[in-house]
Amino acid sequence: MSSHKKQPPCILPGATIGVLGGGQLGRMLALAGRAMGYRFVTLDPTPDAPCGQAADEQIVATYDDQEAARKLAELADVITYEFENVDAEVAAMLMRESYVPQGSDLLYTTQHRLREKRAIEAAGVQVAPYVPVASLQELEEAAEQLGFPCVLKTATGGYDGKGQRVIHDSSQITSAYEQLAHAGVQLVLEKFIPFEREISVIAARSANGETTTFPPAENIHRHNILHVSIAPARISREIVEEAQRMAVKIAKELQVVGLLAVEMFLTTDGKLYVNELAPRPHNSGHYTMEACRTSQFEQHLRAICNLPLASTELMTPVVMVNVLGEHVEPLLKWLAHDGERELERQHGITAKVHLYGKAEAKAKRKMGHVNLLTSDVERALTWIHQSAIWQVV
Ligand code: AMP
C-alpha cells in the first residue's frame, strides 16, 4: 500500500479503523469509535458478526485469507485486532502493507505461554513457578520439582480454562498428559497458587509512550469462565498501586501500543503473581463502559490512534456480570417484566445491559454482560446470587 499510511503521528476521527476479528470486543470498539467519528471495517468469517453489525463494512473471510486481509489493509488507515491468535503470515503482511501500531511482536509473545512468562519475568515481574514440559517423563520430573497440586497447560490455544488440567497427586499425571499432549504441542506445568483473589489490571500505552491504568478489577470465575468483575477490587491501596505498577512495567517492557490486560493472583500473604496477558480489550474491563470516565474501548482507540490518553477514574462502584447463552432467556424475561426499574427502586442499583447481537445462544457462549452501578457492591453481588437469571448454570 501507499507509504503515506506508514506511522502517521495522529489518526484523527474521520479515518477508518480496520478490526481483525468480528466478535464482541470488536463490536464494542466500533460502538465507542463511531461515537468519536471514526469509520470501521471488520474481517470475520461469520456473516453479520457482532462487530460487522456495528461497523460500516464487514469483509466475510477466514482469518488466514491473505487476499481478504489485503483488502482490509486497503480500506483501513490503521488496523487493530480483537483476538490473539492472528495468523503470523497475515500479521506480517498487514505490517508491510498497512499501519498496525500494535505490531506483531506482541502477538508472537502472547500467543505462547512460555514466551509470555519469560517476557513477564524480563520485566522484573513474578509469575507462578513453572517448568516447560515436552514428554511424560519431563512432566513427572516437573511435578516432583513443583509439588502438588499443580496445573498442566498447553502453551498455545487455551482459553476459558480449555487446554488445562489441575493435577492433585501423582496418580493423575498420566491422564492429564494424555488429555493435553497432542502431537507436537508444547506444555507447561505451573505450581498451583492458592490465591485469595484474582484481579486484573488493564494498562494502555500509546504510540508515543504515554501510559495509563484502569483501577484493578476483582474477578470471580464459574466453570473457568469469568462470572463477575468487581470494581473497586476489595484489596488494599498498596496492592492496587503494586498491581498497577506491575502492569505498566510489563506494558513498557513489551512496547505495547493499545491495551494490555494483565491477570494476576493475589495470595493471602499479599504477593501478586501474573497469570496471563491479553494485548487487547478484556472481559474484565467491560465494567469501565459506564463506571469510568473513559471506557477501555475508547482508551484502546486513543492509544492506537496516538491521541492523548484520557482519564481512567472510577466514577462509581460497579459489578459486571456476564450473560452466557443459558442466561439470555431469563434476562430477556426480566427486562420485559420491568426488572431494571424494580432493581433501581428496591436496591438502588442501576443495570446497564449490553448484548452482543450473536445469532445463537449456545450454552457457555458469551452473549452479553450487565454493568450494575451501585454504591453497595455486596448488595449487587447478593442480588446476582439470588437472581433467577444466573441460577441457570
Ligand atoms: P488461564 O487459562 O491461565 O487464565 O486459567 C484459567 C483459570 O484457572 C484462572 O483464572 C485460575 O482461576 C485458574 N488457574 C490457572 N492457573 C492457575 C495456577 N497456577 N494456580 C491456581 N489457579 C490457576
Side-chain angles (χ1 to χ4, degrees):
M1 263 268 70
S2 53
S3 60
H4 74 274
K5 284 191 178 177
K6 292 256 159 73
Q7 312 249 338
C10 186
I11 296 160
L12 290 170
T16 299
I17 298 176
V19 185
L20 200 53
Q24 64 265 24
L25 300 175
R27 176 189 181 89
M28 291 183 273
L29 274 177
L31 290 172
R34 288 189 77 160
M36 297 163 81
Y38 289 101
R39 303 181 73 87
F40 280 82
V41 52
T42 186
L43 186 158
D44 193 275
T46 310
D48 199 38
C51 181
Q53 295 166 24
D56 297 83
E57 189 177 341
Q58 178 179 344
I59 301 165
V60 179
T62 55
Y63 299 129
D64 58 358
D65 182 332
Q66 293 260 349
E67 269 321 297
R70 190 164 281 124
K71 184 169 173 212
L72 184 74
E74 269 164 25
L75 292 171
D77 297 291
V78 55
I79 290 181
T80 186
Y81 44 80
E82 59 119 51
F83 64 103
E84 290 98 307
N85 292 319
V86 179
D87 182 85
E89 277 173 36
V90 165
M93 189 273 288
L94 289 174
M95 292 277 291
R96 276 196 311 275
E97 307 217 348
S98 186
Y99 177 51
V100 189
Q102 290 160 284
S104 58
D105 292 356
L106 187 57
L107 282 173
Y108 180 76
T109 304
T110 54
Q111 275 170 355
H112 195 283
R113 283 189 195 273
L114 282 173
R115 291 199 287 261
E116 183 173 285
K117 287 180 192 300
R118 287 174 189 140
I120 296 164
E121 289 176 314
V125 172
Q126 265 204 332
V127 295
Y130 67 95
V131 179
V133 164
S135 67
L136 182 57
Q137 193 192 335
E138 281 186 22
L139 176 58
E140 281 163 353
E141 287 162 10
E144 177 119 344
Q145 189 182 330
L146 295 176
F148 298 104
C150 47
V151 192
L152 184 64
K153 300 181 178 182
T154 56
T156 52
Y159 68 96
D160 286 347
K162 294 189 177 72
Q164 61 175 277
R165 293 286 177 282
V166 177
I167 302 176
H168 297 277
D169 56 56
S170 57
S171 73
Q172 298 179 332
I173 290 180
T174 307
S175 67
Y177 183 80
E178 283 168 356
Q179 283 165 25
L180 295 186
H182 310 295
V185 75
Q186 169 76 52
L187 300 171
V188 53
L189 188 71
E190 284 176 27
K191 195 175 173 63
F192 185 89
I193 304 293
F195 54 82
E196 185 187 54
R197 296 185 196 284
E198 288 190 82
I199 63 169
S200 55
V201 175
I202 295 175
R205 183 171 175 277
S206 66
N208 67 18
E210 186 189 3
T211 57
T212 59
T213 50
F214 285 95
E218 175 183 339
N219 302 320
I220 299 171
H221 295 83
R222 283 208 309 202
H223 310 297
N224 273 318
I225 301 172
L226 185 65
H227 175 44
V228 301
S229 290
I230 306 162
R234 295 168 296 180
I235 56 179
S236 69
R237 175 110 300 267
E238 291 73 43
I239 300 289
V240 167
E241 285 168 6
E242 175 64 8
Q244 289 178 322
R245 254 197 312 271
M246 285 163 63
V248 168
K249 261 181 162 178
I250 300 169
K252 284 185 175 162
E253 167 74 23
L254 291 178
Q255 302 263 300
V256 168
V257 174
L259 297 185
L260 183 75
V262 183
E263 293 184 55
M264 307 175 193
F265 299 133
L266 172 64
T267 59
T268 42
D269 54 353
K271 287 207 179 75
L272 286 167
Y273 297 90
V274 170
N275 176 35
E276 249 193 341
L277 306 178
R280 53 168 170 78
H282 194 257
N283 195 168
S284 69
H286 293 355
Y287 82 84
T288 60
M289 293 176 85
E290 285 93 12
C292 290
R293 286 193 189 273
T294 308
S295 76
Q296 62 166 343
F297 301 101
E298 177 179 339
Q299 197 80 317
H300 179 73
L301 297 173
R302 287 175 167 275
I304 62 167
C305 292
N306 215 8
L307 295 179
L309 298 180
S311 167
T312 58
E313 187 191 337
L314 188 70
M315 297 186 293
T316 166
V318 56
V319 177
M320 188 280 321
V321 54
N322 266 336
V323 175
L324 305 182
E326 57 271 38
H327 307 135
V328 171
E329 218 180 281
L331 175 78
L332 295 179
K333 208 185 273 176
W334 176 79
L335 280 177
H337 289 89
D338 224 11
E340 292 158 298
R341 197 152 36 182
E342 274 294 288
L343 183 63
E344 183 88 59
R345 207 165 46 81
Q346 277 192 7
H347 301 284
I349 297 171
T350 305
K352 294 290 180 188
V353 177
H354 299 263
L355 289 166
Y356 307 147
K358 295 184 185 177
E360 218 187 322
K362 286 191 208 138
K364 303 283 170 275
R365 187 177 194 202
K366 289 177 182 168
M367 301 296 290
H369 68 272
V370 183
N371 282 337
L372 299 168
L373 311 179
T374 173
S375 56
D376 188 345
V377 155
E378 300 302 328
R379 201 163 181 169
L381 290 171
T382 305
W383 180 78
I384 294 166
H385 190 67
Q386 292 173 348
S387 157
I389 304 168
W390 288 279
Q391 296 294 314
V392 193
V393 286

